[in-house]
């Protein structure tokens, strides 16, 4: 928005005619017309009169005017410091996003690298079956043969072979575990959980770079 359009909108909001607004600002109507048409830029004194008459909020005005219009208003002392502070903020904000984006990319890359420290590998999984619990003093050959029906049948899968058969003390006696098979399975990477936050941080970092670029 141009400064003249801003003045005209403010005057319209208040329901003033141009002569009435000029009278309130204590300036000539012809001069106010030039200001509204963009043919003139107010001096510091005229600017203060307009601010008092219209109740202009400088922060609001600076936020809606075109950058080219703000450059034309830099000679007004009351606006110079405000525009300088705004320019510095326009520099600092993208810089903060760039720093945040770089940090997110570095941390995200670290997480992704950590997730690949130990790759997936193939391991042998052994299947043992126990038909039921037998008394401690019962001979092993009293256990029901693997594959036969049992009331308390259990199966366990372990990665270390313990022979064709082994016993295990349990409540009420012992269990006889018989090896019934084995399979080659792929063990997933133990740190693959780190891949999710790593990718999320990388995306966030790229988003920060995009915001910094758009900010400029």
């Amino acid at each position: 928005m141009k400064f003249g359009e801003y003045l005209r909108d403010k005057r319209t909001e208040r329901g003033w005619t141009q002569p009435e607004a000029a009278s309130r600002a204590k300036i000539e109507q012809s001069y106010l017309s030039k200001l509204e048409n963009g043919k003139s830029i107010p001096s510091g004194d005229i600017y203060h009169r307009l601010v008092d008459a219209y109740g202009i909020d400088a922060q609001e005005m600076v936020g809606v005017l075109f950058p080219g219009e703000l450059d034309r208003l830099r000679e007004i002392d009351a606006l110079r410091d405000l525009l300088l502070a705004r320019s510095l903020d326009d520099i600092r904000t993208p810089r903060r996003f760039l720093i945040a984006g770089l940090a997110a990319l570095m941390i995200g890359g670290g997480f992704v690298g950590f997730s690949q420290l130990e790759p997936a590998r193939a391991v042998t999984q052994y299947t043992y079956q126990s038909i039921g619990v037998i008394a401690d003093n019962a001979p092993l050959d009293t256990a029901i043969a693997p594959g036969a029906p049992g009331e308390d049948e259990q199966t366990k899968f372990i990665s270390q072979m313990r022979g064709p058969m082994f016993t295990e003390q349990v409540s009420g006696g012992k269990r006889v575990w018989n090896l019934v098979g084995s399979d080659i399975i792929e063990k997933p990477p133990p740190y693959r959980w780190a891949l999710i936050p790593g990718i999320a941080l990388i995306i966030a970092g790229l988003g920060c770079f995009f915001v910094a670029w758009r900010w400029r």
Side-chain angles (χ1 to χ4, degrees), residues 117-138:
L117 281 179
E118 188 175 331
R121 56 192 177 90
V123 296
T124 303
Q125 179 178 266
Y126 299 94
T127 305
Y128 284 85
Q129 190 177 67
S130 171
I131 302 303
V133 178
I134 62 175
D136 284 333
N137 57 357

Side-chain angles (χ1 to χ4, degrees), residues 112-172:
V112 171
F114 180 70
S115 70
Q116 303 301 314
L117 281 179
E118 188 175 331
R121 56 192 177 90
V123 296
T124 303
Q125 179 178 266
Y126 299 94
T127 305
Y128 284 85
Q129 190 177 67
S130 171
I131 302 303
V133 178
I134 62 175
D136 284 333
N137 57 357
L140 296 181
D141 56 8
T142 60
I144 305 174
E151 296 181 355
D152 191 20
E153 180 179 311
Q154 290 187 11
T155 302
K156 68 165 53 181
F157 305 95
I158 60 177
S159 59
Q160 183 178 6
M161 185 178 183
R162 299 183 61 180
M165 181 182 67
F166 69 92
T167 60
E168 184 179 54
Q169 291 297 131
V170 296
S171 177

Side-chain angles (χ1 to χ4, degrees), residues 62-188:
V62 168
V64 299
L65 294 186
F66 294 138
E69 288 294 289
L70 296 178
D71 288 339
R72 297 177 67 196
L73 296 173
R74 284 185 184 275
E75 298 305 316
I76 300 175
D77 293 339
L79 290 176
R80 185 179 296 117
D81 292 341
L82 178 61
L83 294 175
L84 177 61
R86 183 181 176 87
S87 298
L88 291 175
D89 188 58
D90 287 343
I91 295 173
R92 293 191 187 106
T93 301
R95 184 179 299 170
R96 293 190 188 103
F97 275 106
L98 287 174
I99 294 173
L102 181 60
L105 286 178
M106 292 177 64
I107 297 173
F111 270 102
V112 171
F114 180 70
S115 70
Q116 303 301 314
L117 281 179
E118 188 175 331
R121 56 192 177 90
V123 296
T124 303
Q125 179 178 266
Y126 299 94
T127 305
Y128 284 85
Q129 190 177 67
S130 171
I131 302 303
V133 178
I134 62 175
D136 284 333
N137 57 357
L140 296 181
D141 56 8
T142 60
I144 305 174
E151 296 181 355
D152 191 20
E153 180 179 311
Q154 290 187 11
T155 302
K156 68 165 53 181
F157 305 95
I158 60 177
S159 59
Q160 183 178 6
M161 185 178 183
R162 299 183 61 180
M165 181 182 67
F166 69 92
T167 60
E168 184 179 54
Q169 291 297 131
V170 296
S171 177
K174 61 185 177 182
R175 280 188 175 275
V176 178
W177 294 96
N178 294 280
L179 179 64
V180 296
S182 64
D183 294 294
I184 303 297
I185 63 171
E186 185 175 280
K187 186 178 180 181

Side-chain angles (χ1 to χ4, degrees), residues 190-202:
Y191 308 116
R192 66 177 179 178
W193 57 267
L195 191 61
I196 295 176
I199 293 175
L201 284 168
I202 289 174

